[in-house]
Amino acid sequence: MLRERCPALANKTYFNYGGQGPLPTPSLDAITTSWKRIQELGPFTTDIWPYISAEVSSTRGRLARLCNVPAHRLALSENVTTGCVLPLWGLPLNSGDHILISDSEHPGVVAACHELARRLQLQVHVLPVKQLRCGGDEQARTDREVLAALEQKLTSRTRLVVLSHLLWNTGQQMPIAAVASQLQQHPAKPYLLVDAAQSVGQIPVAEAAQAADIYAFTGHKWCCGPEGLGGVALSERMLSETHPTVIGWRSLQDETRAVADDPDPFHHDSRRFEVATSCVPLMAGLRCSLDLLEQEGSDHDRLVYIRTLSEQLWHNLQLIPGVSPLLDGPPPAGLVSFQMHPETAGVTPSEVVKALGAEQIWIRYLADPICLRACTHVCTSQNELAQLSDQIRSLSAMDS
C-alpha cells in the first residue's frame, strides 16, 4: 500500500494533502538514482543530453496522458502558480478588457491577475461561488448555480475567466467542461484558466483538462510527488494565439540561432511556456509517485474511496455540538472544511491547529472563509477519522 511507503505517515495523523502530500520512499529513491546517473554521465557533457531528453519526454508524455491531451499541449512547470502565470501573461489582452475571477481562488493567481490588470489597464470582476454550499447528491444544483452566476457576470469585454476545478477553501467542485462550453457561446470567446491544484491526483481530470485553455497543476499535493515539478495542459488556440512573456532558452526553437535574426523564435507547441533549467531528477520521482497511485486503483476507484472517507468525516463533524461543515452535504472529493462557532468554542482556528498538532494530528486553517480544513486521501484510515473527530469533540466540549 502507498501509505506503508510514506515515512511521513508513520508517526502522525495527516490530513494536509491539499497543502503537500508525503513523498513515498520509492519516489525518493528514484530521484536519488537519477541524480547519481546525471553525475556519472557528467552534468554538462555530450553524454548527458540523451538522458535528459528521455526524462523530459517521458515525463511530458506521462502528464499528458493523465490529462488525456496530446504531448505537444503539455508544458512542464515548477508548480501551479508558474503553470497558471506563464501562459496567463502571454494572452493577447488589450486595455479595457475584463477578467472574471472567482471569489475562491488562491492568492497566487489572484495577485497575478490583479498585477496584469494594473499593467494593461484591465477590469477585474468577481464570480461569486464561495457561497455555494451544496453537497452530497446535489452537484447538479451547484453546476446550475455556477453557470447562472457566470451568465450574469460575463460582459461583452470579458476575455478571461479564472476558476478552480476544486475550490481550495470550501472543497466544492466546479463544472469546468460546462463552463468552457458556455464560454464558447460567448461572442468574445473568453479564455478559461483553471487552477487544478486540488484536483490532479484526487479526481478524474481528463474532461476538464481537455476543455480548459490553461489547466495548471502540481505534483506535490495529491500526487504525492516531489515539490518543484508540475504541468499545465494548454488548448490548441493557446499555442496559436499567445506569445510567452517570461522567456528563456527552453522557449526557443533553436537556442544556437540569433534571436534578433529570427522573426518567429519560439516553439510552436507548449514548450514556448517553458523557461530555463529545471531539476531533472524530480521527474523520475513524480513518475514513480503516479505509478504508485495507480496501484491503489483507477481514478474512479480512488475517488470512491476518498469520498467514502470524506463523507464519514463530514457526518462525524456534523454530530459535534458547535461544529459545522461548510457544505450542507458530503463533499464531492477529499476536502472537508468546517467551522467551530465562536459562541461555543473559545479557541481560534489557529489554536485548534496548534492543539491538534500537539497530538500529532495535522490539519490547517484558512482565512477566507475562516475555517479549518482536513483532507482525506487513499492513505487515510478510518481510525484516523475517529482520532480527528474525537479530538475536535474534546476541544469543542472543553471550550463550550
Side-chain angles (χ1 to χ4, degrees):
M1 291 180 59
L2 179 60
R3 178 188 180 87
E4 297 168 352
R5 293 169 168 171
C6 296
L9 302 181
N11 58 356
K12 60 186 64 67
T13 302
Y14 194 75
F15 292 99
N16 276 337
Y17 298 94
Q20 184 160 341
L23 186 68
T25 297
S27 300
L28 178 57
D29 291 342
I31 294 170
T32 303
T33 298
S34 177
W35 230 308
K36 289 179 178 178
R37 183 57 178 157
I38 289 172
Q39 295 309 310
E40 290 169 355
L41 293 170
F44 208 88
T45 65
T46 54
D47 293 335
I48 194 64
W49 306 124
Y51 176 81
I52 291 178
S53 177
E55 286 294 287
V56 171
S57 178
S58 177
T59 305
R60 190 189 310 280
R62 186 73 169 79
L63 298 182
R65 290 193 299 275
L66 187 151
C67 295
N68 200 23
V69 299
H72 75 273
R73 285 176 48 190
L74 196 290
L76 299 177
S77 66
E78 272 62 51
N79 44 54
V80 176
T81 299
T82 57
C84 287
V85 173
L86 296 186
L88 165 68
W89 282 71
L91 294 175
L93 304 179
N94 299 307
S95 176
D97 285 346
H98 298 174
I99 297 174
L100 180 61
I101 182 169
S102 97
D103 59 0
S104 291
E105 298 310 305
H106 191 276
V109 71
V110 173
C113 286
H114 279 273
E115 176 60 14
L116 182 63
R118 185 190 69 80
R119 294 191 185 193
L120 298 184
Q121 297 182 319
L122 312 173
Q123 291 187 29
V124 180
H125 298 162
V126 177
L127 177 68
V129 296
K130 190 190 310 176
Q131 84 284 359
L132 302 179
R133 300 299 167 90
C134 298
D137 298 326
E138 296 193 10
Q139 182 64 44
R141 177 182 168 188
T142 296
D143 295 354
R144 291 194 300 271
E145 291 178 347
V146 171
L147 296 176
L150 180 66
E151 183 66 28
Q152 184 179 21
K153 292 295 181 176
L154 286 172
T155 72
S156 61
R157 295 299 302 272
T158 303
R159 293 288 287 134
L160 172 67
V161 173
V162 180
L163 182 64
S164 292
H165 195 173
L166 273 170
L167 304 185
W168 75 299
N169 42 20
T170 70
Q172 191 64 273
Q173 183 171 338
M174 298 291 100
I176 297 302
V179 167
S181 178
Q182 187 164 325
L183 295 182
Q184 284 300 308
Q185 307 307 313
H186 188 275
K189 290 184 169 46
Y191 294 93
L192 176 59
L193 185 158
V194 177
D195 182 331
Q198 302 300 335
S199 51
V200 173
Q202 180 180 193
I203 66 175
V205 301
E207 182 182 43
Q210 289 174 315
D213 290 295
I214 303 170
Y215 191 85
F217 58 94
T218 184
H220 76 265
K221 294 181 185 285
W222 298 89
C223 293
C224 295
E227 62 270 34
L229 178 60
V232 52
L234 301 163
S235 67
E236 289 290 352
R237 70 170 178 160
M238 283 293 299
L239 304 182
S240 62
E241 298 177 5
T242 64
H243 296 278
T245 300
V246 180
I247 296 163
W249 62 267
R250 280 171 63 188
S251 314
L252 304 174
Q253 296 185 67
D254 184 357
E255 62 175 297
T256 66
R257 184 175 177 181
V259 175
D261 299 331
D262 191 343
D264 183 22
F266 305 119
H267 284 296
H268 294 163
D269 56 25
S270 62
R271 291 174 295 173
R272 63 174 44 207
F273 294 110
E274 297 174 358
V275 182
T277 305
S278 295
C279 185
V280 172
L282 300 181
M283 299 179 187
L286 179 54
R287 296 197 309 272
C288 181
S289 289
L290 292 173
D291 290 343
L292 292 172
L293 265 183
E294 284 193 349
Q295 292 176 20
E296 300 292 320
S298 67
D299 288 352
H300 173 76
D301 292 339
R302 296 199 306 270
L303 179 58
V304 168
Y305 180 73
I306 290 170
R307 291 184 64 178
T308 298
L309 296 172
S310 65
E311 181 174 352
Q312 182 61 56
L313 180 57
W314 181 88
H315 281 295
N316 290 353
L317 295 171
Q318 196 177 43
L319 296 175
I320 301 174
V323 176
S324 297
L326 285 191
L327 300 184
D328 59 15
L335 297 173
V336 185
S337 295
F338 60 98
Q339 296 171 325
M340 298 179 70
H341 300 300
E343 62 271 18
T344 58
V347 289
T348 65
S350 61
E351 290 170 335
V352 171
V353 171
K354 184 177 180 179
L356 292 174
E359 301 297 325
Q360 288 299 306
I361 300 173
W362 298 100
I363 67 172
R364 71 168 295 183
Y365 70 90
L366 304 177
D368 187 19
I370 297 174
C371 65
L372 296 154
R373 189 187 73 183
C375 302
T376 64
H377 202 2
V378 294
C379 299
T380 308
S381 69
Q382 290 284 347
N383 183 55
E384 288 178 317
L385 299 184
Q387 291 179 49
L388 175 58
S389 301
D390 289 345
Q391 287 295 324
I392 293 294
R393 185 177 293 105
S394 295
L395 288 170
S396 181
M398 184 188 339
D399 296 291
S400 61

